[in-house]
Amino acid sequence: MSWISTEPSPNLSLLENGGGSDKPTAETSRRVRRTVSASSMIRKRSDLKLISRVRWEFLRLILTNLQEVLLGTKLFILFPAVPLAVVAHRYGCPRAWVFALSLLGLTPLAERISFLTEQIAFHTGPTVGGLMNATCGNATEMIIAILAVGQRKMRIVKLSLLGSILSNLLFVLGTSLFLGGLSNLRKHQSFDSRQGEMNSMLLYLALLCQTLPVIMRFTMQAEDDGSAVVVLSRVSSFVMLVAYLAFLIFHLFSSHLSPPPPLPQREEEEEEEEDVYDDDVRNKEEEEEAVIGMWSAFFWLIIMTLLVALLSEYLVSTIQDAADSWGLSVGFIGIILLPIVGNAAEHAGAVIFAFRNKLDITFGIALGSATQIALFVVPVTVLVAWTMGIEMDLNFNLLETACLALSIIVTSLILQDGTSHYMKGLVLLLCYVVIAACFFVSNSPSTETNTTNHRLTTR
């Protein structure tokens, strides 16, 4: 999940619409669009008429919480996969089943963590809420990575993190631009190019920090134990965290930047859509408010996080068995299947916004999530491994690093002119298909999942 600030100020936002109209209705509409999250598009409004008839207030509060948290999403149909995964693990069912059920169960849990974080943000204000979203935005990926580090399965750690970045840059963004372009063939599609420039710069920094350890590994002598690569990776991790912190400060507290003037054609389209936006504003103002209390949200956030940790542990411990059972490589499962299924809610939200020709929100979801994983989740994982006494580096291997580099380059080229059409989305999707085919046909040795680092010699 990407983090989205609820700040209504004219800051340079990941979700800034780029319009300069000073008409009240248009400005109100932009504020609403900045506060809508990716997963909000698959949530459903709860009907509390029956619960309101309950006589006891305490019981009514409990039932309201259960209704909003468990049934307040269109993905509630996947919640049974959570207890089924526990039962399958407890009673020794085939481990491939445990993996599949755990993967399905993580989908609604990740969406609910997003929902609960936003509920807390309603009570704490935009700044604290933005920081919480920035920290918990990709909680599922971070939990999976840390648990895999604890089991010393560094291959799985790196594949899952790399897969999340590639999925957001190529699959999510490609699908959104392709389908959004087809559904808006007669409309001008534009977005704030500054948003793409900022994220591209940060992604290039992350790429540099992950490329240098690979190059150093290849330039080392055979007798080197790889400790220099580990040290470089830890230094690079601190650098990435500093960059991410600076990005947060810039995003949350910089108010000296104003939106660019709108394109004439875009301005005409905004005027034609003002009446529709007026209705959207009234509806969203009713929907975008806290539906549960702050402490209830904290309680449920802890519960959901613990469930994510439990299923993530099942996922990490059974991924090799699933790969052997299904005849797939661990690389394909880690880079393709895990990100697509685990972040299905976020992906669907990005596509829906693209259908509505709200590309700034789509880019905020896809690029924001990719940037957060590259500059926050990856370095935090390296440093957490360090505190656990485990040597994890940023050497993602040559093939994986090359895929990341080419994906960032292609994405940044597509974002340059601030306009979009379905061909750009198609190119991104085709790049993702080629990468998926590459890892589908590759057969990495299974022992690779249980090694901490690829070293030329062992101590």
Side-chain angles (χ1 to χ4, degrees), residues 166 204 207 211 400-410:
L166 295 179
Y204 277 124
L207 177 61
T211 302
E400 288 83 348
T401 305
C403 291
L404 176 62
L406 295 174
S407 299
I408 293 176
I409 292 173
V410 171

Side-chain angles (χ1 to χ4, degrees), residues 271-301:
E271 292 177 356
E272 293 175 358
E273 295 173 354
E274 272 186 13
D275 294 336
V276 178
Y277 285 154
D278 288 342
D279 295 334
D280 288 342
V281 169
R282 287 190 289 269
N283 294 333
K284 290 298 181 182
E285 284 178 347
E286 295 177 0
E287 296 176 4
E288 293 298 317
E289 59 183 13
V291 295
I292 60 176
M294 183 175 69
W295 296 113
S296 296
F298 270 116
F299 171 78
W300 282 107
L301 183 61

Side-chain angles (χ1 to χ4, degrees), residues 87-95 98:
V87 171
H89 180 268
R90 176 67 178 81
Y91 291 98
C93 293
R95 294 173 67 82
V98 178

Side-chain angles (χ1 to χ4, degrees), residues 136-190:
C136 303
N138 292 92
T140 304
E141 289 87 346
M142 184 177 296
I143 292 173
I144 293 176
I146 292 176
L147 289 175
V149 166
Q151 298 183 25
R152 297 179 180 269
K153 296 184 177 181
M154 297 302 158
R155 173 74 171 160
I156 295 177
V157 176
K158 296 175 180 179
L159 288 175
S160 63
L161 294 178
L162 176 66
S164 296
I165 299 174
L166 295 179
S167 174
N168 280 287
L169 291 180
L170 300 180
F171 181 72
V172 179
L173 196 55
T175 304
S176 301
L177 296 184
F178 179 68
L179 297 180
L182 290 179
S183 63
N184 295 278
L185 284 174
R186 298 184 179 180
K187 293 183 180 180
H188 178 77
Q189 290 190 290
S190 62

Side-chain angles (χ1 to χ4, degrees), residues 1 39-40 42-43 68-85 100-117 140 300-301 303-305 307-308 311 338 340-346:
M1 161 195 152
S39 54
S40 65
I42 61 171
R43 294 173 192 161
E68 295 289 354
V69 175
L70 299 182
L71 301 179
T73 173
K74 297 176 183 178
L75 297 176
F76 77 95
I77 193 173
L78 295 179
F79 269 120
V82 177
L84 288 176
L101 290 172
S102 300
L103 190 58
L104 289 176
L106 283 174
T107 302
L109 291 177
E111 190 276 332
R112 290 291 85 184
I113 288 180
S114 168
F115 163 75
L116 293 169
T117 304
T140 304
W300 282 107
L301 183 61
I303 296 296
M304 295 297 173
T305 304
L307 290 176
V308 167
L311 295 188
L338 280 181
I340 290 179
V341 179
N343 291 323
E346 178 182 330

Side-chain angles (χ1 to χ4, degrees), residues 185-445:
L185 284 174
R186 298 184 179 180
K187 293 183 180 180
H188 178 77
Q189 290 190 290
S190 62
F191 55 90
D192 187 355
S193 60
R194 296 177 304 170
Q195 172 182 323
E197 292 174 359
M198 174 65 67
N199 284 277
S200 295
M201 288 190 299
L202 295 173
L203 288 172
Y204 277 124
L205 172 62
L207 177 61
L208 174 66
C209 294
Q210 295 180 29
T211 302
L212 291 180
V214 179
I215 298 175
M216 178 177 286
R217 177 77 271 178
F218 274 93
T219 58
M220 281 184 170
Q221 300 297 325
E223 60 271 12
D224 292 332
D225 60 2
S227 58
V229 177
V230 176
V231 173
L232 175 61
S233 299
R234 291 169 179 172
V235 173
S236 299
S237 297
F238 281 112
V239 170
M240 288 190 285
L241 287 178
V242 170
Y244 186 68
L245 178 61
F247 174 57
L248 290 183
I249 296 174
F250 178 83
H251 173 69
L252 294 175
F253 302 108
S254 297
S255 58
H256 62 282
L257 295 173
S258 59
L263 296 173
Q265 187 175 357
R266 179 63 179 171
E267 188 174 16
E268 293 177 2
E269 291 177 2
E270 285 187 350
E271 292 177 356
E272 293 175 358
E273 295 173 354
E274 272 186 13
D275 294 336
V276 178
Y277 285 154
D278 288 342
D279 295 334
D280 288 342
V281 169
R282 287 190 289 269
N283 294 333
K284 290 298 181 182
E285 284 178 347
E286 295 177 0
E287 296 176 4
E288 293 298 317
E289 59 183 13
V291 295
I292 60 176
M294 183 175 69
W295 296 113
S296 296
F298 270 116
F299 171 78
W300 282 107
L301 183 61
I302 294 173
I303 296 296
M304 295 297 173
T305 304
L306 292 176
L307 290 176
V308 167
L310 178 63
L311 295 188
S312 298
E313 184 177 359
Y314 293 166
L315 205 69
V316 172
S317 61
T318 59
I319 186 172
Q320 184 61 56
D321 300 278
D324 296 337
S325 176
W326 298 341
L328 300 174
S329 67
V330 174
F332 182 81
I333 293 179
I335 288 185
I336 305 301
L337 291 186
L338 280 181
I340 290 179
V341 179
N343 291 323
E346 178 182 330
H347 299 174
V351 174
I352 293 174
F353 281 120
F355 264 109
R356 299 182 179 182
N357 202 18
K358 300 179 181 180
L359 294 184
D360 288 293
I361 302 181
T362 295
F363 281 101
I365 296 169
L367 296 179
S369 183
T371 303
Q372 185 181 50
I373 295 171
L375 284 179
F376 181 70
V377 179
V378 171
V380 165
T381 304
V382 173
L383 298 179
V384 168
W386 187 12
T387 62
M388 298 169 63
I390 300 174
E391 294 185 346
M392 176 182 174
D393 58 31
L394 292 176
N395 179 8
F396 279 50
N397 294 337
L398 182 59
L399 176 61
E400 288 83 348
T401 305
C403 291
L404 176 62
L406 295 174
S407 299
I408 293 176
I409 292 173
V410 171
T411 303
S412 63
L413 290 175
I414 284 178
L415 301 177
Q416 282 185 342
D417 60 355
T419 62
S420 176
H421 45 75
Y422 70 89
M423 271 304 301
K424 291 186 175 183
L426 180 60
V427 169
L428 293 177
L429 281 177
L430 293 178
C431 291
Y432 192 70
V433 169
V434 173
I435 292 176
C438 175
F439 286 97
F440 180 81
V441 300
S442 66
N443 291 311
S444 301

